[in-house]
Amino acid sequence: MLSEHDFVEAAKRACGFWNLAPTQVDVLSHTENVVCRIKVSSDKQVVMRFHRPGYNELAELSSEVVWVQSLAVSGLPVPAALQTPAGDYYRSVDIGAVDSNEQRIVGVVDWVEGQPLGGALSNASGDVVAHYETIGSLAAKIRCHSHAWKPPQSFVRRRWDIDGLLGEDPLWGRFWEVSSLTPNQKAIFGEARKVLREGLGGLSVEPDRFGLIHSDLHLGNIMCSGDELTIIDFDDAGYGWFAHEIAVALHPGVGESWFASARQAFLDGYCSVYELALDEIESVDLFLVIRSLMIVGWLDARPELPAYDYFPIVVERAEQAAKNLLSRS
């Protein structure tokens, strides 16, 4: 198994592709990808990201850069990707010992000041409610950009449609068959999947409801510096329902006393930019349940991550969400 030391050493080697002379390299996080901070001087640092093998191919990562650049041009607060002197945004690097090494695609982006508003799985405090109106407006601006932007022919990103979320081979795994679930939990998740598939089947996939989204706009992917927010980590970006985007942003507050306040603040911010129809707002509840179930599949496939410690809590919350859904059906 690769260690933090392996990634630090690989980052030092990869710096050569960008003509960076690192003074210090630290591993910041190990979730979907391994993220390192590269200090190159007393007042300059960048972020290097080692992409998880088998998730995004080079064409998908290159498309991510194109889309994020277009978001920046439209005024959205996003980090810029850095090119090598040869004009590349990504290179491949070997990590670990020769007899057990792993090759990963690596990229570099600008450093973003501040701290994430929360974690990928753990809930934040009620203090985040103050930011939810801004988060809502940012999500709506991504939607407006999706309506106006025409991707190049080479553009390739995944689809968070019925198959991507709840199909036989969903993007984040077959959550209803996770081996550590009890038979009763598997049955509940399976029934919930059927109900959710029926619900999604009634939703429009026309461009006014379905388009390019960040799709992982949780609090851990929003950096805060004072009153300024910056959206990071577009690794899961693709085509999906805009209501899905809303649910992902709201999901960290599910079960918290401040959830209703956060939801209203988010919708206020969103509707100040793009007016939501009532049926679309109502569909967010479906996507909140889907998000709870998806995380079960996502985390089950990544037992090596520190976040796996949350797995029992994730399953418990997903089971409750599924039971609530079935009781309403």
Side-chain angles (χ1 to χ4, degrees):
M1 185 175 179
L2 296 174
S3 66
E4 285 196 4
H5 174 76
D6 292 324
F7 283 101
V8 168
E9 292 303 307
K12 291 176 181 177
R13 296 194 303 274
C15 280
F17 295 130
W18 279 266
N19 280 353
L20 298 173
T23 61
Q24 184 176 337
V25 177
D26 302 296
V27 174
L28 291 181
S29 67
H30 186 173
T31 53
E32 183 65 50
N33 307 304
V34 176
V35 179
C36 294
R37 174 174 54 192
I38 312 294
K39 290 189 176 182
V40 294
S41 69
S42 60
D43 60 353
K44 181 176 174 56
Q45 51 195 355
V46 295
V47 173
M48 180 175 288
R49 188 168 58 164
F50 292 89
H51 292 269
R52 184 180 180 87
Y55 194 61
N56 279 318
E57 302 297 332
L58 183 58
E60 295 172 292
L61 292 171
S62 298
S63 296
E64 177 185 326
V65 170
V66 171
W67 188 51
V68 174
Q69 286 175 336
S70 71
L71 291 174
V73 170
S74 71
L76 278 149
V78 295
L82 305 185
Q83 285 181 294
T84 69
D88 303 313
Y89 285 104
Y90 296 99
R91 298 296 297 264
S92 293
V93 63
D94 290 325
I95 308 166
V98 175
D99 59 346
S100 60
N101 71 346
E102 178 178 284
Q103 190 173 79
R104 291 201 182 198
I105 299 174
V106 60
V108 177
V109 299
D110 280 337
W111 178 260
V112 176
E113 293 294 337
Q115 297 293 326
L117 285 175
L121 298 176
S122 57
N123 288 340
S125 71
D127 294 343
V128 297
V129 173
H131 297 288
Y132 260 104
E133 186 171 349
T134 301
I135 297 171
S137 67
L138 291 174
K141 289 175 182 177
I142 291 175
R143 180 180 191 151
C144 292
H145 177 274
S146 177
H147 291 333
W149 187 62
K150 184 177 181 180
Q153 283 190 331
S154 59
F155 192 83
V156 182
R157 293 300 295 188
R158 59 181 49 81
R159 291 180 66 84
W160 298 98
D161 54 14
I162 294 180
D163 287 338
L165 296 171
L166 300 168
E168 288 302 307
D169 188 22
L171 294 169
W172 276 12
R174 296 166 65 90
F175 57 83
W176 63 96
E177 291 184 351
V178 168
S179 60
S180 58
L181 297 177
T182 67
N184 188 52
Q185 287 170 332
K186 290 179 181 180
I188 292 171
F189 287 1
E191 285 301 311
R193 174 176 171 249
K194 293 177 184 177
V195 172
L196 291 166
R197 281 181 60 87
E198 182 177 347
L200 293 190
L203 300 183
S204 171
V205 290
E206 294 300 311
D208 64 325
R209 295 292 179 95
F210 190 99
L212 275 169
I213 59 175
H214 182 285
S215 85
D216 202 26
L217 198 61
H218 60 70
L219 297 175
N221 283 334
I222 302 173
M223 299 293 289
C224 179
S225 179
D227 293 328
E228 299 297 318
L229 301 184
T230 303
I231 304 168
I232 63 170
D233 193 356
F234 288 77
D235 206 47
D236 291 299
Y239 293 92
W241 281 281
F242 299 112
H244 178 201
E245 185 94 292
I246 295 171
V248 172
L250 293 174
H251 190 266
V254 171
E256 297 294 329
S257 60
W258 47 266
F259 177 73
S261 298
R263 182 180 181 127
Q264 188 58 56
F266 181 97
L267 293 176
D268 288 345
Y270 200 103
C271 290
S272 71
V273 176
Y274 186 96
E275 190 64 35
L276 287 162
L278 180 59
D279 67 304
E280 190 170 18
I281 295 175
E282 291 173 344
S283 73
V284 170
D285 288 335
L286 286 178
F287 288 105
L288 285 170
V289 181
I290 290 171
R291 179 68 174 183
S292 293
L293 294 168
M294 287 171 59
I295 294 174
V296 173
W298 181 85
L299 199 52
D300 175 68
R302 295 157 176 81
E304 75 281 3
L305 302 186
Y308 191 76
D309 290 344
Y310 288 99
F311 190 70
I313 299 174
V314 166
V315 171
E316 179 183 346
R317 291 174 177 169
E319 183 178 3
Q320 188 60 56
K323 286 180 177 178
N324 291 344
L325 172 75
L326 295 174
S327 69
R328 299 192 299 266
S329 301

